[in-house]
Amino acid sequence: MKKVICCPASCIPDVLDKETFYFVLYSSSNNPKIGHITPSFLSEFQKQGFNPSIEMLDFTTFALSVVAADESVIRSESADGWTRSIELHIYLQNPEIWNKKRKDLEDTLRFLTGDFWNLRFFESKPIGVKSNKQAKINSADCVCLLSGGVDSLVGAIDLTTKGIKPLFISKIVRGSFDAQRKFAIEMGAHSVTANGVEV
């Protein structure tokens, strides 16, 4: 089982386990053996005028930590060359809520990725994100993931033909962004945002 720890910089141990992947949340490290998760994320929230709740920030931390684990644990190094066993430690502001749903979350990740997940939630210090700026409100009434593939495109078409106005979200992946942008615009998006940049 591969271990991945996603935590504040203050929780990184002085001596690193060679078999563990470490990621600092919302900051960076000078140690090349420690990865980082979106160092500028919180400052960007403030610049945009958002004041996210603890629940929203914990959900974001959980999602980004899962992505970090998924991208760092190599499938080819598993026993069968595909199925991974991942022990993921995540530091959250309110871990108790997540501990109550731990088994459901592990089962969901098992279904989505085909891997075995062992989730551990720990308490971190509060994350202060406060902004005096008024956030620009989007007219969308739901969020739709748009990868550029057939599955997400069909979902986007179903929503827009029902008169729903989705906010299309994507991750820039080499070779697929042009398709993502084209599909979003054809379904009525006035602007397309990828990785926080309007294009």
Side-chain angles (χ1 to χ4, degrees):
M1 178 172 287
K2 291 290 185 179
K3 183 186 289 187
V4 180
I5 298 177
C6 300
C7 64
S10 60
C11 297
I12 296 289
D14 293 331
V15 179
L16 302 181
D17 178 6
K18 294 180 180 179
E19 300 300 318
T20 299
F21 295 98
Y22 296 91
F23 292 90
V24 290
L25 293 163
Y26 312 125
S27 63
S28 56
S29 170
N30 294 325
N31 188 334
K33 295 180 180 179
I34 299 174
H36 59 266
I37 296 176
T38 56
S40 63
F41 182 77
L42 299 181
S43 62
E44 286 298 323
F45 255 44
Q46 290 178 314
K47 288 179 184 177
Q48 296 296 326
F50 293 109
N51 293 296
S53 65
I54 288 175
E55 291 77 13
M56 290 173 65
L57 282 170
D58 277 352
F59 179 83
T60 301
T61 299
F62 171 77
L64 292 172
S65 298
V66 168
V67 171
D70 182 52
E71 293 189 354
S72 60
V73 180
I74 308 301
R75 289 191 180 277
S76 60
E77 296 177 359
S78 61
D80 65 357
W82 182 257
T83 308
R84 302 167 298 182
S85 293
I86 301 172
E87 180 179 318
L88 176 57
H89 295 202
I90 309 174
Y91 283 67
L92 303 169
Q93 295 175 89
N94 190 355
E96 186 56 34
I97 294 174
W98 294 81
N99 275 316
K100 291 177 181 178
K101 296 293 183 179
R102 185 172 65 87
K103 181 65 168 60
D104 290 337
L105 292 166
E106 290 172 344
D107 289 345
T108 299
L109 293 175
R110 166 74 175 141
F111 174 79
L112 289 173
T113 68
D115 304 305
F116 294 97
W117 293 77
N118 182 352
L119 300 175
R120 305 282 182 89
F121 301 112
F122 301 89
E123 187 171 359
S124 70
K125 294 179 180 179
I127 300 173
V129 180
K130 298 293 179 185
S131 177
N132 295 322
K133 182 179 177 182
Q134 181 64 44
K136 181 181 178 182
I137 304 301
N138 193 291
S139 62
D141 48 23
C142 70
V143 174
C144 179
L145 303 181
L146 192 63
S147 68
V150 174
D151 292 345
S152 66
L153 177 59
V154 169
I157 292 170
D158 285 347
L159 291 172
T160 55
T161 55
K162 292 176 183 176
I164 297 172
K165 299 176 182 177
L167 172 64
F168 297 112
I169 303 292
S170 69
K171 177 182 177 184
I172 294 178
V173 178
R174 186 178 301 164
S176 67
F177 178 65
D178 288 341
Q180 294 167 358
R181 186 175 190 278
K182 177 177 180 283
F183 295 151
I185 290 173
E186 287 182 356
M187 285 180 285
H190 298 295
S191 64
V192 182
T193 301
N195 291 6
V197 179
E198 188 171 293
V199 293

